[in-house]
Each structure stands twice: as C-alpha cells, then as structure tokens.
Amino acid sequence: MIRFVSTRGQSPAVSFEQALFQGLAPDGGLYLPERTPTWPSELWSGREATTFPSLAFFALRNWLEGQVDDEALAAALAHALSFPVPVVPVSSSRRHGGELFVLELFHGPTLSFKDFGARVMARLAADFLLRSGRKSTVLVATSGDTGSAVADGFSGLPGIEVVLLYPKGQVSPLQEAQLTARRPGVRVFSVEGTFDDCQRLVKSAFADPELAPLSITSANSINIGRLLPQTLYYLWAWRMLQARPIFCTPSGNLGNLTGGVLAAEAGLPVAKFIAAHNANRFFPEVLADPGARFRPSIRTLSNAMDVGAPSNFERLNALLGRERLPGAIWGTSVSDAETVGAMRRVFQRSGYVADPHTAVGIEAAERFRDAESGDEPIIVLGTAHPAKFPEVVAEALGIEPPVAEALERLKYHPKNAERLEADQKAFRAKLLAG
Ligand SMILES: *Cc1c(COP(=O)(O)O)cnc(C)c1O
C-alpha cells in the first residue's frame, strides 16, 4: 500500500484517504506518494486501456491498491471521466521539426481541465464517506474554473456539501453563470469583497473550532485527490500518438504540470516539458535563476494562470529536486499581445480556435521549436474551451467562438447565490445555519 508523505518531512505518512481529506499536511507541506510505482504494462499494450476510463483504472489502481477496491475505483472513473479527450493536430507553422497537437482537456461539464481532478476526487471522496458513514463540507474560494468544476463534480454526491465563495462583480458574466447555477448540495456565496477576502474567509473557517463539526475539506489545486487524476491524460496522449513527445502545459499554480512530471517519474516516456506561463513569470525565472522570488500576481487575458506564487512549486521541487528542474522543464513567459498573436496565427493557419490559455501554450511550443532543434511531436494541453472567452475570441479573430452545449444549457438554468459580507462572524453564522 502506497502511503503519502509531506514535502516538508515533518508529518507522519498517511493513507490516500487521510491525505485527500486533510489537503495540506499538518507541517504545512504538500502530500506526495512515498514511492512512485511504475505504470503497469497494460497501459502500453494495444489491447487494454482502449478507453479513457479503462486507462484511468489501470493507471490509478497501481497507486490506490489496498485503499480503494477495484470495483469502486472502476465505477468512480467511469462516472467521472465520461467525456471525450481528443488529440487534435494543429498544423506546424513556418518552423521545422515535428508536429504540433492540442490535447483537448475541455470537454467535461464545466469546460476546463479542472473537471478531471475535481470529478475523480469527488467520486473517491464520496466513496470513502459512504463507507465510513461520515459527512464532509468542501469549501472553495474561487475566481474561475476551479469553483465550477468542484461545484459540478461534487454536487449531489452523498455525504458532501459544497460551499463556494466568489468575489462579487470580479468574475465575468459567463463565469458567474457557471458558478451560480443551482446545483443540489451546493451553496454559493457572492462575497462583497475581493478574491483575497474570499480566501481569508476560507482560511478562518478551517481554523475555527466552532466549525469543526462540519469537517471542512478543501479541494484546491494542492489536493492529492486532484493531482493523481492529472497524470492520466498525459498517458492517454502517449497512447494516442505512440511517440515520445514534448508536453507543453499552460501553467499557473503548476498542478497540471506536476501531474505530467509525476507521470514521467512513474515511467511515461517524455522528451521534455514546457511550462507555458503568461506575464506571471516566477517559474520561468526560477528555472534560469534559482534565486528568483515569488511576486504579486498580474491580471492577464489567461486569468486562470494569474498566479504569482505557484502553490505546487514546492511539490515540483520535492519531486525533481532543484538540480533536475532546469533539465526536465523548459519555461517561458508569454504576454497578452503574444497570446492574441498566437490565437490569430493558429486560426489563420489551420482554422483552429484556441482559448487564451491554450494559446499561451501554442506560443510557448513554437518558441521552443525556434530555440531548440529536434523533431519530437509537441503536445500542447488545451486547458479551456474557447466558448468560455467569447470577448477575447471575438476581439482576436473577429468571429463568435464555437458553441459549447454545456454553456448553452446554462442560459436557461436557475441561478442561486447568497450575498455575504466579507466578515468571519457572518460567514460562520451562515455555515452553522446550514
Ligand atoms: C487552472 C487553469 C490553468 C493552470 O493550471 P495550474 O494547474 O494551476 O497550473 C490553466 N488553464 C486553465 C484554463 C485553468 O483553468
């Protein structure tokens, strides 16, 4: 049985279930598996793992053996991962070298890659709660994709209530529609304040002894329950192309990239990782200069990546060590103007409509091609559906983005949000009133 240990080494090793419900380790570190099992041979052979959920089952069984039984795991994955995960060629430009692909991770119900982690974590958490007879409250502060993915993924599962906080007036109308869609088992608070106020309220709730009976859990990017599922689509891309690729991951908190690095540590053949960042450039900087510091975040067009102090940096460091980081990962920072330029270029070249996050990845991939020789295929992770960003797409390409069913349905979906002052006592009262 694989146990999970803190990156800071000052907390006891725990089971997957404990790590999932704790989120952060007691010493403030992030959980990592104490050893990395090698991917099973079923994954590489042609006959098994032919659908995404079956690949996910063979892959995760390896990590969770003795902690989640096979039947429960297979059922959880079949429910959580019931959407397509295509690899789409995006013809290469003037540049030489191998082909460019987009691995589209945005066909889940909330149209971003966050659906993978949130939905798998939700099903596994529900299974643990059912077996132990406990209940849990999942608390998230969000300014974007995480909130809707978590709300949607955990909604209606037995033993779970979701509480979501977002800063009123600071998310786009479309994001607000996604966040406030009425869902069973989900309470949404529209907070009179900033995103930082929301995070402060969440932190205070975790520390509040009066709220202990709610057994509050987080579902943010550092949760091991989200990290493990984020290894799966890297394996899937390999399975589809049968080649040793370069993966290019549009990054903010570095959770998605860490999933890929973990997959590679467990034996997935990867030539290189590219960390594609927007103007929030701490990580590309630290790859070049180990003395680089975290910075305040800057607002950009790819706002789900507006992170000045990536929470998974500590985990990447623990996984690879400072010395191996620059060899394994190539990093670069892309401005808003270059993001729009990449959206235009790829649209003119191949008719492909990329959202601004994916476009940061495309720009980074082409920059890498220019800087380095080699002919390995580059796979850019498509992290969000372009329909989530109609204004940017219209501005950049002069067209309406392709329609996404899930967003169309939202237009008619009942909405539901409670107003909340950015005040700890008011929040506590609301939570206890249920
Ligand atoms: C969250 C998010 C990212 C960044 O992922 P990290 O795991 O935080 O690095 C990139 N693109 C989109 C669309 C996202 O929602």
Side-chain angles (χ1 to χ4, degrees):
M1 178 175 128
I2 294 176
R3 292 184 312 161
F4 293 81
V5 292
S6 166
T7 46
R8 301 196 183 169
Q10 304 296 316
S11 305
V14 297
S15 67
F16 176 69
E17 177 175 2
Q18 286 169 311
L20 183 143
F21 285 107
Q22 274 177 23
L24 216 56
D27 63 4
L30 282 66
Y31 281 114
L32 274 173
E34 66 184 345
R35 63 188 169 81
T36 308
T38 312
W39 299 118
S41 57
E42 284 99 329
L43 291 188
W44 318 119
S45 78
R47 286 183 309 280
E48 314 223 38
T50 52
T51 65
F52 196 85
S54 71
L55 171 130
F57 171 74
F58 284 118
L60 290 188
R61 186 174 60 169
N62 224 25
W63 301 77
L64 301 179
E65 217 159 15
Q67 314 200 48
V68 182
D69 69 62
D70 279 4
E71 215 170 307
L73 182 62
L77 295 170
H79 279 115
L81 302 171
S82 54
F83 46 87
V85 189
V87 180
V88 180
V90 178
S91 72
S92 214
S93 59
R94 60 197 185 272
R95 327 199 179 206
H96 28 267
E99 276 181 286
L100 191 64
F101 297 88
V102 174
L103 171 64
E104 294 188 346
L105 303 176
F106 48 73
H107 297 288
T110 69
L111 307 177
S112 87
F113 86 89
K114 303 282 196 314
D115 281 327
F116 288 84
R119 290 176 67 78
V120 172
M121 178 184 165
R123 298 273 163 184
L124 294 177
D127 191 58
F128 285 132
L129 291 172
L130 204 63
R131 281 192 285 139
S132 64
R134 287 180 298 126
K135 287 188 184 313
S136 183
T137 302
V138 174
L139 193 52
V140 229
T142 181
S143 53
D145 295 325
T146 293
S148 47
V150 167
D152 200 85
F154 283 80
S155 168
L157 292 176
I160 293 177
E161 183 176 27
V162 179
V163 175
L164 207 68
L165 292 92
Y166 76 93
K168 184 168 172 244
Q170 298 194 24
V171 300
S172 76
L174 209 63
Q175 279 177 325
E176 186 157 29
Q178 278 197 300
L179 288 170
T180 59
R182 187 190 291 277
R183 298 175 171 101
V186 180
R187 286 180 84 185
V188 182
F189 291 104
S190 159
V191 176
E192 305 280 352
T194 61
F195 177 61
D196 289 338
D197 291 324
C198 297
Q199 280 200 306
R200 214 164 28 73
L201 290 174
V202 166
K203 278 207 180 117
S204 72
F206 271 100
D208 187 345
E210 287 190 42
L211 294 176
L214 299 181
S215 28
I216 297 175
T217 309
S218 80
N220 55 19
S221 149
I222 56 103
N223 198 294
I224 192 75
R226 281 179 53 185
L227 183 65
L228 289 187
Q230 288 175 187
T231 59
L232 300 172
Y233 36 77
Y234 289 93
L235 296 164
W236 180 248
W238 189 96
R239 193 78 174 68
M240 303 297 280
L241 294 182
Q242 305 275 326
R244 180 166 172 265
I246 295 163
F247 283 108
C248 178
T249 308
S251 293
N253 270 316
L254 294 169
N256 202 0
L257 182 68
T258 305
V261 169
L262 194 57
E265 288 294 289
L268 176 72
V270 177
K272 192 89 168 177
F273 288 98
I274 301 172
H277 287 257
N278 59 26
N280 294 278
R281 54 192 301 160
F282 161 75
F283 190 59
E285 272 176 7
V286 86
L287 289 174
D289 167 16
R293 300 277 185 92
F294 287 163
R295 304 174 171 221
S297 64
I298 304 167
R299 294 186 77 137
T300 74
L301 290 178
S302 46
N303 59 357
M305 294 159 37
D306 293 349
V307 179
S311 52
N312 278 283
F313 176 60
E314 178 166 341
R315 196 178 245 147
L316 260 185
N317 255 330
L319 208 53
L320 288 178
R322 273 290 170 109
E323 320 71 51
R324 282 175 64 208
L325 270 181
I329 306 169
W330 189 88
T332 194
S333 156
V334 173
S335 71
D336 276 352
E338 291 165 326
T339 303
V340 170
M343 289 173 72
R344 293 204 175 114
R345 206 164 61 236
V346 75
F347 181 64
Q348 281 160 7
R349 212 163 69 204
S350 57
Y352 190 80
V353 182
D355 94 284
H357 303 80
T358 307
V360 168
I362 291 172
E363 171 66 21
E366 302 198 327
R367 224 178 252 181
F368 176 83
R369 271 283 195 254
D370 278 351
E372 315 272 322
S373 56
D375 57 2
E376 295 97 344
I378 302 186
I379 301 173
V380 176
L381 276 62
T383 51
H385 197 294
K388 284 186 123 171
F389 305 91
E391 297 85 3
V392 187
V393 170
E395 176 80 21
L397 309 182
I399 59 157
E400 303 266 309
V403 172
E405 273 294 311
L407 285 184
E408 293 304 303
R409 279 198 301 273
L410 265 187
K411 288 185 186 152
Y412 310 100
H413 198 96
K415 303 292 185 294
N416 178 33
E418 303 170 55
R419 290 263 306 277
L420 180 70
E421 298 297 322
D423 173 71
Q424 186 182 343
K425 289 211 182 71
F427 186 40
R428 176 199 287 151
K430 292 264 190 192
L431 284 178
L432 289 173

